[in-house]
């Protein structure tokens, strides 16, 4: 069996101490396999962002283990975590976070350059990635020349440039309308169909439905999750159409 | 009358496939009760599961499968013709009723009922979304192969129609998940109230009012539909 791209093993995160302590996450166990897109749903304050931040090493668990592609974050120092994050994990946030003075291709190339790649090579790679994702025509545009949906798709390209095979997306469609939100999900879905592992935080069921599995959080606890199997293509008999 | 009864009544005349059933149904009801293809197929699947209809054989050259009534189906249609329609029984949503009852009947874990349903509806939504992705992929491929489709391209039109049907089902399923989320949150809040006692507490009464409100709105909706249909007769 292949190893999970991401494993959260009985993870708890407590903010503060004593009377004011908040259990943002309480004993959560979750794994995401390569090629799998898992959605996390739950009301505001249920711990979705905390879960995502822990999964990406942006925050540290109070107890429990976070393992990314076989590497246990709890055994690494700050520098080790930063490096692991840079090489293995891509983040997508609600507000795109593209750098306004750089074109799409330059934005996408940036993580590679920060990791020591030469600029020319990094940009060629970035253009290839944008091509692959059907975003060629955006390569030379600046963020203010793109719609929100286009910017977010570029942000996904940036998140997955290089060797990174794990993408963590926190409400990536939050600021988008139905159609552009869907374009973003399609891109994410296609990346996962190609073998990338994805964790998607959303409060919209219609968007979570693009995932293979949905995990429901409440008050930091997983209260429910849909199974791995997709039971019924026979819900709607397409064959006899 | 339900879609189920309507389709079975048509099948009593002889085998038909889904699209045929749909157009016959609409023609005979003067278009006052439009059905979508998805509804017809889900109904046929349910009827088949319940042993009331069966396929007549393999799909024909165009991939269509005809259905006919089983003996049990014939009997059911007979019963339907000879039984007066229950006028007190306005169509209601089973899920709404189930939750309203779950809230009031002692000993039922309402939150579990809501969660189980949410998981099931979420799976349904997932399956619908997969089907939709297939249609969209097909459309994109067609666009790539033939950038300027001519207007009489009936395959494209059918794909579009199917897409719209799917999206309608997707939005409905989404609404149900949202409502179930809301129910769960509501129940959770009520359970945190310090003065809650078992049985018909203020909390339970409030939660019940909530579901009744939804049931009422749906009923008004279907009532209006009936009125419109009546007015056109
Ligand atoms: N840095 C922090 N300090 C204290 N409490 C926090 C902090 N971050 C998050 N929380 C609390 O943890 C809980 C979960 O927050 P979060 O993960 O942001 O939820 P969500 O993304 O689902 O809205 C909330 O109650 C929130 O107030
Ligand atoms: Mg959040």
């Amino acid at each position: 069996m292949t190893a999970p791209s991401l494993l959260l093993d009985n993870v708890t995160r407590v903010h503060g101490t004593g009377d004011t302590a908040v259990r943002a996450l309480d004993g959560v166990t979750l794994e995401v396999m390569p090629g799998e897109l898992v959605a996390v749903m739950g009301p505001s304050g249920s711990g979705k962002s905390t879960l995502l931040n822990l999964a990406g090493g942006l925050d540290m668990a109070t107890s429990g283990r976070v393992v990314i592609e076989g590497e246990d974050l709890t055994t690494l120092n700050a520098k080790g975590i930063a490096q692991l994050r840079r090489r293995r994990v891509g983040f997508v946030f609600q507000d795109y976070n593209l750098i306004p003075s750089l074109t799409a291709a330059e934005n996408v190339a940036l993580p590679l350059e920060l990791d020591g790649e030469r600029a020319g090579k990094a940009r060629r790679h970035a253009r290839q990635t944008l091509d692959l994702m059907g975003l060629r025509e955006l390569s030379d545009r600046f963020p203010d020349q793109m719609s929100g949906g286009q910017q977010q798709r570029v942000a996904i390209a940036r998140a997955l440039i290089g060797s990174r095979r794990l993408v963590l997306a926190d409400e990536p469609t939050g600021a988008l309308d139905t159609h552009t939100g869907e374009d973003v999900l399609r891109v994410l879905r296609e990346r996962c169909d190609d073998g990338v592992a994805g964790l998607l935080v959303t409060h919209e069921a219609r968007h979570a439905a693009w995932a293979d599995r949905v995990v429901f959080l409440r008050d930091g606890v997983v209260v429910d999750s849909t199974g791995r199997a997709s039971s019924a293509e026979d819900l709607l008999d397409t064959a006899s159409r | 009358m339900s879609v189920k009864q309507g389709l079975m009544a048509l099948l009593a005349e002889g085998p038909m496939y889904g699209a045929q059933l749909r157009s016959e149904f609409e023609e005979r009801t003067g278009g006052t009760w439009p059905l979508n293809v998805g509804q017809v197929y889900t109904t046929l699947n349910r009827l088949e599961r319940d042993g009331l209809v069966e396929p007549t054989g393999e799909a024909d050259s165009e991939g269509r499968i005809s259905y006919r009534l089983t003996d049990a189906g014939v009997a059911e249609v007979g019963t339907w013709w000879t039984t007066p329609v229950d006028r007190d029984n306005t169509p209601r949503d089973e899920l709404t009723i189930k939750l309203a009852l779950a809230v009031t009947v002692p000993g039922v874990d309402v939150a579990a009922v809501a969660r189980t349903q949410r998981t099931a509806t979420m799976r349904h939504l997932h399956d619908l979304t997969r089907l939709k992705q297939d249609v969209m992929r097909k459309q994109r491929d067609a666009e790539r192969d033939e950038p300027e489709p001519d207007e009489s391209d009936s395959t494209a039109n059918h794909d579009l129609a199917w897409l719209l049907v799917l999206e309608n089902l997707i939005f409905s399923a989404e609404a149900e998940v949202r409502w179930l989320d809301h129910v769960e949150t509501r129940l959770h809040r009520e359970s945190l109230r310090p003065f809650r006692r078992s049985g018909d507490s203020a909390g339970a009464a409030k939660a019940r009012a909530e579901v009744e409100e939804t049931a009422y709105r749906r009923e008004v909706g279907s009532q209006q539909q009936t009125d419109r249909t009546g007015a056109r007769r």
Side-chain angles (χ1 to χ4, degrees), chain A residues 182 186 189 204-206 209-212 216 218-219 223-224 227 230 232 234-236 238-241, chain B residues 41-42 45 63 115 118-119 122-133 140 162 174 184-185 188:
Chain A
E182 195 160 81
R186 183 160 56 79
R189 179 72 257 178
E204 291 201 62
R206 194 160 26 88
W210 286 72
D212 300 293
F216 295 89
R218 167 180 301 288
D219 295 343
V223 289
D224 204 1
S230 116
D234 59 357
L235 271 170
L236 286 147
T238 41
S240 55
R241 272 180 67 235
Chain B
Y41 281 111
T42 42
N45 283 349
R115 279 202 300 272
R118 184 176 59 189
T119 307
M122 197 64 227
R123 284 218 185 93
H124 179 63
L125 185 54
H126 172 259
D127 291 335
L128 292 169
T129 304
R130 279 276 160 174
L131 290 173
K132 173 176 164 168
Q133 283 169 248
R140 276 198 307 279
W162 177 230
E174 182 191 32
E184 206 208 6
T185 305
H188 184 70

Side-chain angles (χ1 to χ4, degrees), chain A residues 15 22 24 43-50:
Chain A
H15 292 289
V22 178
S44 170
S46 58
K48 304 184 294 298
S49 294
T50 301

Side-chain angles (χ1 to χ4, degrees), chain B:
Chain B
M1 187 176 119
S2 67
V3 175
K4 168 187 156 185
Q5 310 289 11
L7 297 188
M8 287 178 67
L10 288 171
L11 288 175
E13 294 178 7
M16 280 184 223
Y17 52 82
Q20 225 172 345
L21 277 167
R22 174 174 164 252
S23 60
E24 285 289 328
F25 189 88
E26 289 193 357
E27 207 170 285
R28 294 183 197 209
T29 53
T32 50
W33 193 348
L35 286 184
N36 64 50
V37 181
Q39 258 175 312
V40 174
Y41 281 111
T42 42
T43 307
L44 282 172
N45 283 349
R46 261 201 302 274
L47 289 170
E48 187 178 359
R49 183 197 64 197
D50 295 339
L52 296 169
V53 308
E54 60 191 6
T56 57
E58 298 299 316
D60 68 12
S61 59
E62 289 174 58
R64 298 176 301 209
I65 297 175
S66 284
Y67 287 86
R68 65 173 164 238
L69 292 178
T70 60
D71 289 348
V74 173
E76 174 105 354
V77 174
T79 308
W80 185 55
W81 289 128
T82 54
T83 311
V85 172
D86 184 1
R87 280 287 161 224
D88 294 331
N89 189 9
T90 29
R92 289 165 201 258
D93 180 74
E94 185 183 340
L95 175 59
T96 317
I97 309 264
K98 194 170 175 179
L99 276 160
L101 289 174
V103 167
T104 49
V105 173
V108 179
D109 185 346
V110 196
V113 172
R115 279 202 300 272
T116 306
Q117 184 64 47
R118 184 176 59 189
T119 307
T121 308
M122 197 64 227
R123 284 218 185 93
H124 179 63
L125 185 54
H126 172 259
D127 291 335
L128 292 169
T129 304
R130 279 276 160 174
L131 290 173
K132 173 176 164 168
Q133 283 169 248
D134 290 346
V135 180
M136 294 198 335
R137 195 172 304 123
K138 208 173 139 199
Q139 281 184 325
R140 276 198 307 279
D141 290 350
E143 230 168 81
R144 203 190 45 223
D145 297 343
E146 194 188 347
E148 280 174 54
D150 71 80
E151 264 176 45
S152 62
D153 190 345
S154 72
T155 314
N157 291 343
H158 283 186
D159 282 347
L160 178 59
W162 177 230
L163 186 62
L164 295 177
V165 169
L166 279 172
E167 285 177 331
N168 174 276
L169 299 173
I170 284 169
F171 278 105
S172 306
E174 182 191 32
E176 190 167 293
V177 172
R178 280 181 65 189
W179 179 63
L180 289 163
D181 269 343
H182 172 81
V183 168
E184 206 208 6
T185 305
R186 165 79 64 205
L187 291 167
H188 184 70
R189 280 198 197 152
E190 298 296 343
S191 76
L192 295 177
R193 289 159 87 90
F195 43 82
R196 186 187 162 111
R197 54 183 176 80
S198 60
D200 198 355
S201 68
K206 241 197 207 155
R208 193 178 57 224
E210 187 93 26
V211 270
E212 276 171 0
E213 165 89 10
T214 314
Y216 171 76
R217 280 207 213 102
R218 292 195 189 192
E219 213 168 292
V220 169
S222 66
Q223 193 58 49
Q224 281 167 347
Q225 186 144 2
T226 317
D227 290 348
R228 272 204 303 278
T229 311
R232 285 171 67 169
R233 287 245 163 82

